[in-house]
């Protein structure tokens, strides 16, 4: 049985926006298995300087990430899309084990198979130390903000 993760390519603006929101929602669960299920079994990633291949490596990577990045909360915005590719900008905030707060800014390039599973993900990310009072991302995005651009600063 072939897995299908709607929406599937070819993307329109509407379906690309839905795909981005679905990814944001999944990552905000901080559930590595749930997130990994949106990728092909042999998906390849570059996340900063780390290279990952396949769902089990994705699960291991995300498990470690969310053990280090506490109170993780993410916002993704559609940058552009083609038939089977989507580019996003994102920001997420988190706290480290020492209690310092961070905002991470990044860009991702996604490629999908015909069943709507992501086969390739490349992420470039920079971290900026912030004060706890500067945090502005708290938990999942409210429904009324779906599709809204998140300000750069």
């Amino acid at each position: 049985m072939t897995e299908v993760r709607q929406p599937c390519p070819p993307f329109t603006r509407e379906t690309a926006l839905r795909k981005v929101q679905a990814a944001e929602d999944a990552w905000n669960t901080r559930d590595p298995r749930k997130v990994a299920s949106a990728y092909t079994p042999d998906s390849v990633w570059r996340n900063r300087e780390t290279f990952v291949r396949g769902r089990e490596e994705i699960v291991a990577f995300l498990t470690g990430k969310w053990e280090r990045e506490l109170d993780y909360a993410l916002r993704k915005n559609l940058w552009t899309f083609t038939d089977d590719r989507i580019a996003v900008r994102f920001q997420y905030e988190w706290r480290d084990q020492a209690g310092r707060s961070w905002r991470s800014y990044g860009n991702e390039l996604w490629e999908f198979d015909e069943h709507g599973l992501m086969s390739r993900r490349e992420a470039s990310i920079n971290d900026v130390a912030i004060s706890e009072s500067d945090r502005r991302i708290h938990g999942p995005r409210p429904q009324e903000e779906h599709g809204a651009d998140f300000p750069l600063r």
Side-chain angles (χ1 to χ4, degrees), residues 132-147:
E132 179 64 25
S133 63
D134 286 336
R135 284 197 71 167
R136 54 196 172 108
I137 305 173
H138 303 282
R141 187 188 301 241
Q143 180 72 34
E144 63 273 10
E145 292 179 15
H146 283 198

Side-chain angles (χ1 to χ4, degrees), residues 108-126:
E108 290 178 321
L109 305 174
W110 301 341
E111 186 174 353
F112 295 87
D113 73 4
E114 67 274 17
H115 306 292
L117 296 170
M118 195 181 303
S119 58
R120 184 178 181 119
R121 173 184 173 267
E122 296 187 35
S124 298
I125 307 167
N126 301 100

Side-chain angles (χ1 to χ4, degrees), residues 70-112:
L70 309 174
D71 301 328
Y72 174 97
L74 167 73
R75 298 294 183 269
K76 290 183 183 284
N77 290 112
L78 176 66
W79 182 266
T80 193
F81 67 95
T82 64
D83 285 348
D84 65 348
R85 295 179 181 171
I86 295 175
V88 299
R89 301 174 294 192
F90 63 87
Q91 298 175 47
Y92 65 88
E93 294 178 346
W94 53 284
R95 182 178 48 80
D96 65 22
Q97 300 268 342
R100 293 176 298 230
S101 293
W102 298 87
R103 182 174 301 128
S104 299
Y105 294 93
N107 303 294
E108 290 178 321
L109 305 174
W110 301 341
E111 186 174 353
F112 295 87

Side-chain angles (χ1 to χ4, degrees), residues 24-35:
E24 177 185 305
D25 292 345
W27 280 68
N28 275 325
T29 69
R30 296 180 292 223
D31 179 341
R33 292 223 173 264
K34 180 180 179 93
V35 173

Side-chain angles (χ1 to χ4, degrees), residues 3 5 26 29-39 54-60 62-63 66:
E3 298 173 76
R5 185 59 66 104
T29 69
R30 296 180 292 223
D31 179 341
R33 292 223 173 264
K34 180 180 179 93
V35 173
S37 72
Y39 297 86
R55 286 183 180 163
E56 288 310 309
E57 287 186 20
I58 291 169
V59 168
L62 292 174
T63 298
W66 290 322

Side-chain angles (χ1 to χ4, degrees), residues 4-30:
V4 176
R5 185 59 66 104
Q6 296 290 342
C8 296
F11 296 115
T12 63
R13 178 162 178 74
E14 178 187 331
T15 60
L17 284 166
R18 284 193 357 237
K19 199 66 145 177
V20 171
Q21 188 61 55
E24 177 185 305
D25 292 345
W27 280 68
N28 275 325
T29 69
R30 296 180 292 223

